[in-house]
């Protein structure tokens, strides 16, 4: 068995690796589109090959222009392979060794997936393979969407929203919001990084999203105290709630609703017909805010990471 990154000459065989179980997919249209715009790269698609046949394929994603893979998008093993867990684990391990890191695996699942035999079976062997390759930590994120069928939130009567061009001002705001945050990814990052360094990395990551940097807002009281951050943005699927957060001294007053309402109003005002968002299952206050403002939970994002 040969493990290697793909090359352009592999394209037809890569497109033939059809994932039909409804999860962890990179269908032919997505594969071609993302290869064209740089979100996928051949060197970030690894294959297991034997006798000229691709028996397994793993596809990593990142923002166009980012030199490092950011997330594992798809794991495929041919139906003829008897030990698909072993082959997938070996393929992921070889790729991780080449990358020098283990990007998280993001799997999109229906609500109640544990009670759905097809979905549960599809994730079970992938989850075991990912764990063997070092992705042993599991996090569920709730996926939400707002549409014009839901009421548009009223403008905040207690906050003033201002756009801010200075990245350092936003980095300081991100640092403050991160204190005591319930967001799992931020909490994990702060175990090994200086808070301001982590905040600056967050700013750079959000700048890579397709949403316009000029949309970003800071929220203040009328007296000028910083309350939080509101980032309308977009990804490949369209408008999204990029980020929102309240500084510690203003938590417990329902300001998340004001921030989410402003993001929703801003994107809806630009013609958004659907606004997507997600939050950790354990971040109950944020989930309740989404639900109060008309966002509906429609699926799950399962994130398997190195912890």
């Amino acid at each position: 068995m040969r493990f290697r990154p793909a090359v352009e000459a592999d394209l037809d065989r890569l497109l033939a690796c059809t994932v039909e179980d409804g999860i962890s997919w990179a269908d032919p249209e997505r594969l071609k589109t993302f290869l064209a715009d740089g979100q996928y790269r051949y060197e970030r698609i690894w294959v297991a090959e034997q006798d000229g046949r691709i028996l397994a394929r793993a596809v990593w994603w990142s923002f166009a222009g980012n030199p490092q893979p950011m997330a594992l998008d798809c794991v495929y093993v041919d139906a003829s392979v008897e030990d698909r867990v072993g082959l997938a684990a070996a393929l992921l391990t070889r790729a991780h060794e080449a990358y020098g890191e283990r990007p998280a695996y993001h799997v999109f699942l229906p609500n109640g997936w544990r009670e759905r035999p097809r979905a549960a079976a599809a994730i079970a062997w992938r989850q075991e393979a990912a764990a063997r390759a070092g992705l042993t930590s599991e996090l569920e994120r709730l996926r939400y969407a707002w549409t014009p069928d839901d009421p548009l939130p009223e403008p905040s009567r207690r906050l003033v929203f201002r756009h801010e061009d200075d990245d350092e001002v936003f980095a300081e705001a991100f640092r403050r919001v991160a204190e005591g945050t319930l967001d799992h990814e931020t909490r994990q990052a702060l175990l090994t990084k200086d808070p301001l360094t982590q905040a600056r990395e967050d700013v750079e990551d959000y700048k890579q999203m397709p949403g316009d940097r000029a949309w970003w807002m800071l929220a203040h009281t009328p007296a000028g105290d910083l309350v939080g951050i509101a980032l309308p943005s977009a990804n490949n699927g369209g408008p999204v709630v990029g980020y929102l957060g309240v500084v510690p001294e203003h938590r417990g007053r329902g300001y998340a609703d004001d921030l989410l309402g402003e993001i929703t109003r801003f994107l809806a005002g630009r013609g958004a017909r659907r606004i997507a968002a997600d939050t950790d299952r354990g971040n109950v206050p944020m989930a309740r805010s989404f639900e109060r403002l008309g966002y509906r939970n429609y699926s799950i994002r399962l994130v398997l990471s190195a912890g």
Side-chain angles (χ1 to χ4, degrees), residues 15 53 102 115 138-139 150 163 173 223 234 242 263 274 279 298 302 305:
L15 294 173
R53 291 181 61 206
R102 291 174 290 188
E115 288 72 48
E138 176 182 318
L139 174 70
D150 303 301
H163 297 281
I263 292 172
R274 181 179 185 274
T279 191
Y298 66 94
L302 181 66
S305 68

Side-chain angles (χ1 to χ4, degrees), residues 55-214:
L55 295 180
R57 182 195 73 177
V59 183
W60 280 264
W61 169 89
S62 74
F63 291 118
N66 192 314
Q68 295 296 114
M70 296 181 69
L72 175 59
D73 221 17
C74 182
V75 177
Y76 159 88
V77 177
D78 189 86
S80 67
V81 175
E82 188 170 324
D83 181 13
R84 57 185 178 183
V85 171
L87 183 56
L91 178 61
L92 296 180
T93 298
R94 289 293 296 273
H96 290 166
E97 290 170 353
Y99 294 149
E101 59 180 321
R102 291 174 290 188
Y105 181 18
H106 292 246
V107 190
F108 298 94
L109 296 162
N111 285 322
W113 61 270
R114 290 178 177 84
E115 288 72 48
R116 299 189 180 201
R118 186 166 180 261
I123 186 56
W125 68 266
R126 291 180 170 93
Q127 195 165 13
E128 184 178 347
R132 290 190 193 180
L135 303 180
T136 56
S137 180
E138 176 182 318
L139 174 70
E140 280 196 33
R141 291 181 62 84
L142 304 175
R143 306 185 75 203
Y144 287 92
W146 178 93
T147 70
D149 293 333
D150 303 301
L152 187 65
E154 293 293 325
S156 175
R157 296 181 179 179
R158 53 184 182 161
L159 294 180
V160 177
F161 291 88
R162 301 189 185 99
H163 297 281
E164 171 58 61
D165 295 332
D166 190 333
D167 286 351
E168 277 299 296
V169 173
F170 264 102
E172 175 59 20
F174 269 96
R175 184 196 65 78
R176 291 178 61 185
V177 168
E179 296 175 23
T181 181
L182 295 177
D183 182 78
H184 175 80
E185 185 175 350
T186 302
R187 291 168 65 181
Q188 290 298 112
L190 288 173
L191 293 175
T192 58
K193 296 179 182 177
D194 169 79
L196 187 55
T197 298
Q198 165 60 19
R200 286 172 175 152
E201 290 180 2
D202 279 343
V203 169
E204 291 306 310
D205 285 346
Y206 284 108
K207 284 171 66 177
Q208 293 185 66
M209 295 181 70
D212 195 327
R213 166 66 177 82

